[in-house]
Amino acid sequence: MAQVLEFRLPDLGEGLTEAEIVRWLVKVGDVVTVDQPVVEVETAKAMVEVPCPYGGVVTARFGEEGTELPVGAPLLTVAVGGAADADGDADSSGNVLVGYGTSAAPARRRRVRPPRPGARPADGVPHTVDSVDGLAPAGTVSAAPAAVLPAAAQAPAVEARTLHADGVRHPEGPVPVISPLVRRLAREGGLDLRHLEGSGPDGLILRADVEDALRAAASRPGATGATAFTAAGAAPGARTGTHPPTTAPPTTAPAHTAPGVDAAADRTATGGTRIPLKGVRGAVADKLSRSRREIPDATCWVDADATELMRARTAMNAAGGPKVALLALLARICTAALARFPELNSTVDLEAREIVRLDRVHLGFAAQTERGLVVPVVRDAHTRDAESLTAEFARLTEAARAGSLTPADLTGGTFTLNNYGVFGVDGSTPIINHPEAAMLGVGRIVPKPWVHQGELAVRQVVQLSLTFDHRVCDGGTAGGFLRYVADCVEQPAVLLRTL
């Protein structure tokens, strides 16, 4: 007898809570093998192909391309060839993505779940899932897709909800909301969140749930705010409980609720284009905002004569072998400077009120792509020579442009090198890449008049800037670091002392 297994969106690591479906790689009816990629998703950090831990026939897909799903939401169901034994020893994946692993599933508690309001199969295939406790990645569907329980049999499985005098089912206990933004939107719109059933994991109320409810409320003539929603019960388009009331008592919205809905409508009607702050743009906004809130930063800068550094690079590349990138030479100077000033290769533990000095240098570098700004990380940069750094920069840059960087490629940095000179600008005061303690900025290298050996000459000049966390060091340390970097740029032979 066939067994249908549900595969849920796994935790892709680094605290990511949702992903957007970019492209389905399989369709209903396709035969898939264990660890075959089935969908391409975009997270806030990278594009990822998600492999399925089961082999069999795809019976349903959840979500169209462009849909954003939370971690733990169903992705697809697969009918495997043979029934698993009672211990759930079905073939499982050898792929180790966070969220599902290589071992057999834990003991299952069999219960029938009602269909999730926001997670109907994209291809219209009904199914009945045996849910795994918690947010395990897979569930078991009894027998096969044909063995579907009628809706009446599924209704009693709706978990603890009480029918109150107002005719609306309320969840018992606290309202399942995490985001302060969701609460604010509901408050401004005059919605009682107890009337909403969330479409997120374990009934979590998401922003989309509130926005859908507001739209449904605003579309009802003669009703505003909470009045429209409670009068509508399970209004079409609103994500509500599975048992809407047949009648609703007449209620009157408080006078202060109408402006909330009207203001929301006015904001949409004032013109302009609204662009969702999500994906890479949203991740950048969150991280930079946190950096500004938490880090008391300061910036110092200096002009340096880079003529000798450019000549040294030309000589290296003329000697044969792999070409050495200028960014690699600057990175090598950074790692040498961090060895002298380790305070800047650190982070601040706010809970412990401690500065943590890090033994290894994982060097991030800013890269602009079509998807936005990303900061790939070169691991153990302090152990690499100029050729190795050049090769790693090239690999990560190509992956960034292709959108194939993994979360591991984009996290764990301890210091960032920002070459904004590629944009044709001289200087900048960049925002520190939280939770790091410093960032070195490099402007464009251009011919400028410069006093060299007592005479005015045209030299290749660059502006260097250092933004640092004033909690980890004082200006003397930061100035010493920047001056050492400038000395190495002006006289590359200085580096020989540390090689």
Side-chain angles (χ1 to χ4, degrees):
M1 181 181 295
Q3 182 185 32
V4 179
L5 304 178
E6 181 185 77
F7 172 45
R8 302 183 184 184
L9 178 65
D11 180 356
L12 300 174
E14 300 298 334
L16 300 176
T17 58
E18 66 274 324
E20 179 179 330
I21 297 174
V22 175
R23 180 167 60 100
W24 282 105
L25 305 178
V26 296
K27 59 183 181 294
V28 171
D30 283 357
V31 177
V32 296
T33 58
V34 172
D35 288 341
Q36 175 181 333
V38 293
V39 65
E40 186 179 64
V41 301
E42 180 178 20
T43 71
K45 296 189 179 291
M47 299 273 281
V48 180
E49 287 188 351
V50 181
C52 179
Y54 308 112
V57 179
V58 177
T59 59
R61 300 186 315 190
F62 297 84
E64 302 292 345
E65 293 178 356
T67 303
E68 190 169 82
L69 298 178
V71 168
L75 270 178
L76 50 78
T77 55
V78 178
V80 301
D85 59 27
D87 294 330
D89 291 335
D91 290 342
S92 56
S93 169
N95 207 316
V96 185
L97 270 178
V98 180
Y100 66 97
T102 59
S103 60
R108 308 177 190 274
R109 183 180 70 223
R110 300 180 65 86
R111 71 167 182 255
V112 178
R113 275 194 171 180
R116 297 190 179 194
R120 294 186 179 276
D123 302 276
V125 181
H127 67 290
T128 306
V129 178
D130 294 342
S131 174
V132 181
D133 293 347
L135 279 181
T140 308
V141 180
S142 55
V148 180
L149 294 180
Q154 296 183 18
V158 178
E159 298 184 8
R161 293 184 175 273
T162 305
L163 186 63
H164 288 253
D166 58 5
V168 179
R169 291 185 179 270
H170 297 277
E172 296 181 349
V175 178
V177 178
I178 294 177
S179 170
L181 174 62
V182 172
R183 292 186 183 276
R184 180 171 64 82
L185 288 174
R187 184 170 60 251
E188 291 177 352
L191 293 181
D192 186 346
L193 290 173
R194 292 174 299 172
H195 295 270
L196 277 176
E197 180 174 0
S199 61
D202 296 327
L204 180 67
I205 297 175
L206 306 177
R207 178 176 179 175
D209 301 327
V210 174
E211 291 174 340
D212 286 352
L214 286 173
R215 282 193 293 269
S219 67
R220 294 184 61 82
T224 59
T227 303
F229 181 73
T230 55
R239 293 173 180 163
T240 60
T242 56
H243 298 277
T246 55
T247 60
T251 57
T252 302
H256 69 276
T257 60
V261 175
D262 293 341
D266 288 344
R267 285 195 298 271
T268 305
T270 53
T273 302
R274 288 180 174 266
I275 301 173
L277 198 59
K278 63 179 184 178
V280 172
R281 188 74 262 157
V284 169
D286 292 341
K287 195 158 192 175
L288 296 184
S289 298
R290 183 178 182 183
S291 178
R292 274 288 188 242
R293 287 194 306 267
E294 294 185 8
I295 299 177
D297 58 354
T299 302
C300 53
W301 55 89
V302 65
D303 289 341
D305 180 0
T307 305
E308 296 303 323
L309 180 65
M310 301 299 288
R311 287 176 179 171
R313 175 173 176 259
T314 300
M316 291 178 189
N317 292 338
K323 301 295 185 182
V324 173
L326 179 60
L327 188 63
L329 295 179
L330 293 170
R332 185 65 189 88
I333 291 172
C334 275
T335 58
L338 289 172
R340 284 178 167 250
F341 301 92
E343 297 92 337
L344 294 170
N345 192 54
S346 61
T347 187
V348 175
D349 186 337
L350 288 176
E351 293 185 2
R353 292 187 61 82
E354 294 176 343
I355 297 172
V356 182
R357 290 190 183 174
L358 305 170
D359 298 329
R360 301 161 67 184
V361 179
H362 301 317
L363 187 68
F365 65 100
Q368 194 71 34
T369 71
E370 292 182 356
R371 299 177 63 238
L373 177 69
V374 294
V375 184
V377 177
V378 177
R379 304 284 170 181
D380 297 316
H382 60 293
T383 65
R384 297 175 181 266
D385 59 20
E387 287 186 1
S388 174
L389 288 167
T390 297
E392 188 66 359
F393 281 136
R395 183 188 72 82
L396 291 171
T397 299
E398 181 59 30
R401 289 171 179 166
S404 59
L405 289 170
T406 66
D409 291 329
L410 292 163
T411 54
T414 64
F415 185 93
T416 296
L417 177 61
N418 187 359
N419 181 22
Y420 45 74
V422 297
F423 302 117
V425 298
D426 295 324
S428 173
T429 56
I431 300 175
I432 295 173
N433 189 21
H434 184 280
E436 298 170 14
M439 177 184 292
L440 178 69
V442 181
R444 60 177 180 166
I445 301 176
V446 293
K448 288 185 178 181
W450 189 268
V451 176
H452 176 65
Q453 296 179 351
E455 295 183 358
L456 189 62
V458 176
R459 306 285 287 182
Q460 300 293 319
V461 179
V462 62
Q463 185 179 100
L464 306 170
S465 63
L466 177 71
T467 299
F468 64 99
D469 185 342
H470 227 313
R471 297 173 298 178
V472 304
C473 69
D474 296 325
T477 300
F481 174 94
L482 188 58
R483 185 65 257 171
Y484 178 80
V485 170
D487 289 344
C488 290
V489 168
E490 294 183 340
Q491 304 176 54
V494 172
L495 270 179
L496 295 175
R497 295 176 61 91
T498 59
L499 296 180

